[in-house]
Amino acid sequence: MSVAARPSACPGLLRIVPARDGGICRIKLPGGVLLAAQAVALGEASQHHAAGVIEVTNRANLQVRGVRAGQEAALIAALVDAGLGPTPSPALDDVQSGLGASAADDVRNLMISPSAGRDPHALFDTRELAAQILAVLQGEPRFAALSPKFAVSLDGGERLAMLEHPHDVWLAARAADDGPRFVLGLAGCPPVTRHDAACTPALAEVRPSQVPAVVKALLHTFLDLAAPDHTRMRHLLALHPVQAVLQRAQSYLDFPLSHEPALAGWRRAPADASLRFGAHPQREADMWQVGGQPPLGRMDAATLLALAALANDAGNGALHMTPWQSVLLPDVVAEALPYVLARFQAAGLACDRAEPLARLIACAGSSGCIKGLADTKADALRLAALLPAHVEQVHLSGCPRSCAAAHRAPYTLLAAQAGRYDLYRRDDGEPGFGRCVARHLTIEQAADALARLARSPFDA
């Protein structure tokens, strides 16, 4: 069987891509979970073969920056030996194109809540389903043809959940009289109580046991109907009615997709992203999770090694990355909370949502990316010292691609040139970055404008 992967410039564990500051190696973490032993291996490998800089991505993965020329193979080998690559699959051994593990690594794009199985508000523990879906994604040779950007979201109804990232296929738990169901939608986000342009309606619902089969059917349907230049579900839906897509998916299933009339009005309860900061109780009695935000999503190797030691000392031996570029340590007993919070803060992680660096997002910028028009990381650190307390979140983007934020922040500073930004304000329902309210601002001018806008939303 010959399988052709779609060409991509996206980094992966087995595909290190060049950047201005060296190579980038992206590690996809199942469910965002990084075992302490893996964190040690990653930290040490980043010191030996790269610049010792590790980033949390906006899909709860990790990437090593500054990979040195000639060190790529050694870094990859160290990470694979640590168990950070795709799970070997006999099916992929038969792929004649030579893609093998690289193809399986590309398609491991499944997002769940970082507190799955522990969130007291969850309707369903998605961890086992997530493992089954990952097995489908990396074990089916045909799925090597999916774009590395094609992504699936599995939402168990947790209060700590990223609901604003558009996904090609999303599934979300819904309470029913005889047990939870999963509603599904395409090319967007689950609808919530507030209006958002990225939300797409619930199209059908299935039982939890049917979720892996539905995902598999939808991926096969996408590959059946997609043109060579179609990389995302939204491209397919621009040419094919959604009901035609569902009918094609039904042909792969031995159970009917349910289309209850009530689904038209279904809304997912709002999430609370602030639960990624500080200490919060888990579902289990006397168990807590502690969260903190590395400055602008970046850690050095020493910080990662310190967090790995803390996971062994006071947690369950694992760290959970989040799609807000932060870190959670689960399964902490109440007596250890002061110690863990102190260790997080000593490592430079923001544990309070009010801290300036907890409210800033920045891409690699011109120091790391050839497309960046400004040094967004350095400028964000300058803005942190000036950021008004009442400004919720600001995203600094070096170019219109918005690599650091798959969701849209309330305010975006889009680089126009070195040290100068256009300021955008986004209200609910507005597409893209929203409305441009000021141009060519310095960081100091941007801080003043943000203060005015936050006090009076009608004052540009």
Side-chain angles (χ1 to χ4, degrees):
M1 178 180 179
S2 178
V3 177
R6 294 176 184 268
S8 175
C10 290
L13 187 150
L14 305 172
R15 182 178 52 250
I16 295 176
V17 303
R20 182 166 280 171
D21 57 348
I24 302 175
C25 177
R26 183 172 297 158
I27 302 134
K28 295 183 177 179
L29 302 175
V33 177
L34 180 71
L35 301 180
Q38 294 173 328
V40 171
L42 172 58
E44 292 177 347
S46 74
Q47 290 175 318
H48 294 153
H49 308 298
V53 175
I54 300 109
E55 292 180 326
V56 188
T57 77
N58 59 33
R59 294 198 177 274
N61 295 313
L62 291 172
Q63 58 189 28
V64 177
R65 296 196 71 95
V67 180
R68 302 186 189 102
Q71 295 292 307
E72 295 89 349
L75 176 66
I76 291 169
L79 299 180
V80 170
D81 287 347
L84 291 167
T87 302
S89 168
L92 287 176
D93 291 341
D94 297 330
V95 176
Q96 299 300 311
S97 60
L99 299 171
S102 179
D105 186 54
D106 278 344
V107 298
R108 293 191 297 155
N109 297 325
L110 173 67
M111 182 182 290
I112 64 174
S113 166
S115 61
R118 296 175 173 85
D119 192 313
H121 302 274
L123 300 173
F124 192 89
D125 182 349
T126 59
R127 291 175 294 180
E128 177 57 32
L129 277 184
Q132 294 175 33
I133 293 172
L134 281 171
V136 167
L137 287 169
Q138 62 189 354
E140 172 61 59
R142 192 187 185 203
F143 296 160
L146 291 168
S147 164
K149 294 184 180 296
F150 197 98
V152 179
S153 170
L154 181 65
D155 167 32
E158 298 86 358
R159 196 168 174 213
L160 179 61
M162 170 55 80
L163 303 179
E164 298 172 282
H165 280 8
H167 284 79
D168 298 279
V169 177
W170 61 259
L171 298 109
R174 179 182 79 87
D177 292 339
D178 58 348
R181 296 285 192 274
F182 276 87
V183 298
L184 68 90
L186 303 175
C189 314
V192 291
T193 52
R194 64 180 179 83
H195 173 72
D196 193 306
C199 292
T200 53
L203 302 173
E205 73 174 4
V206 295
R207 296 181 182 276
S209 61
Q210 297 168 331
V211 165
V214 166
V215 171
K216 187 174 183 178
L218 288 168
L219 299 190
H220 277 301
T221 296
F222 175 83
L223 293 173
D224 289 344
L225 301 177
D229 60 341
H230 288 171
T231 59
R232 307 299 300 271
M233 186 65 77
R234 66 177 182 270
H235 303 147
L236 188 70
L237 295 181
L239 296 179
H240 296 272
V242 67
Q243 288 306 319
V245 174
L246 292 180
Q247 288 173 8
R248 182 64 171 250
Q250 182 66 76
S251 69
Y252 284 99
L253 300 170
D254 59 4
F255 55 85
L257 290 172
S258 174
H259 304 273
E260 296 295 333
L263 291 181
W266 177 81
R267 295 291 183 270
R268 203 272 193 198
D272 183 358
S274 70
L275 294 175
R276 71 187 189 273
F277 296 111
H280 298 279
Q282 297 178 179
R283 182 189 298 271
E284 308 91 335
D286 196 43
M287 284 294 182
W288 294 67
Q289 66 181 25
V290 178
Q293 181 87 35
L296 305 176
R298 277 192 178 177
M299 296 179 280
D300 58 22
T303 299
L304 183 59
L305 294 172
L307 291 174
L310 184 60
N312 282 328
D313 291 346
N316 65 359
L319 299 165
H320 290 220
M321 305 302 141
T322 86
W324 299 274
Q325 298 179 276
S326 64
V327 182
L328 283 185
L329 179 61
D331 297 344
V332 178
V333 297
E335 293 79 6
L337 289 176
Y339 168 72
V340 172
L341 284 166
R343 291 280 295 273
F344 262 53
Q345 291 162 351
L349 275 63
C351 297
D352 188 326
R353 64 182 296 185
E355 295 182 49
L357 284 173
R359 295 178 284 130
L360 289 172
I361 307 169
C363 66
S366 59
S367 64
C369 177
I370 195 170
K371 295 183 181 293
L373 298 179
D375 189 347
T376 52
K377 292 290 190 189
D379 289 340
L381 292 175
R382 291 172 53 208
L383 181 60
L386 306 169
L387 191 66
H390 47 289
V391 173
E392 179 183 351
Q393 189 181 70
V394 183
H395 168 213
L396 285 79
S397 187
C399 79
R401 295 186 304 163
S402 187
C403 293
H407 71 290
R408 299 303 188 186
Y411 300 101
T412 296
L413 288 170
L414 179 61
Q417 63 185 68
R420 296 277 180 168
Y421 293 83
D422 296 338
L423 174 59
Y424 288 79
R425 181 177 187 274
R426 184 175 184 266
D427 295 315
D428 288 352
E430 287 188 324
F433 293 129
R435 178 171 57 97
C436 184
V437 296
R439 294 192 181 276
H440 292 271
L441 302 178
T442 65
I443 289 297
E444 292 74 19
Q445 291 169 335
D448 290 341
L450 287 165
R452 292 195 304 272
L453 286 168
R455 284 195 303 267
S456 174
F458 304 104
D459 180 12

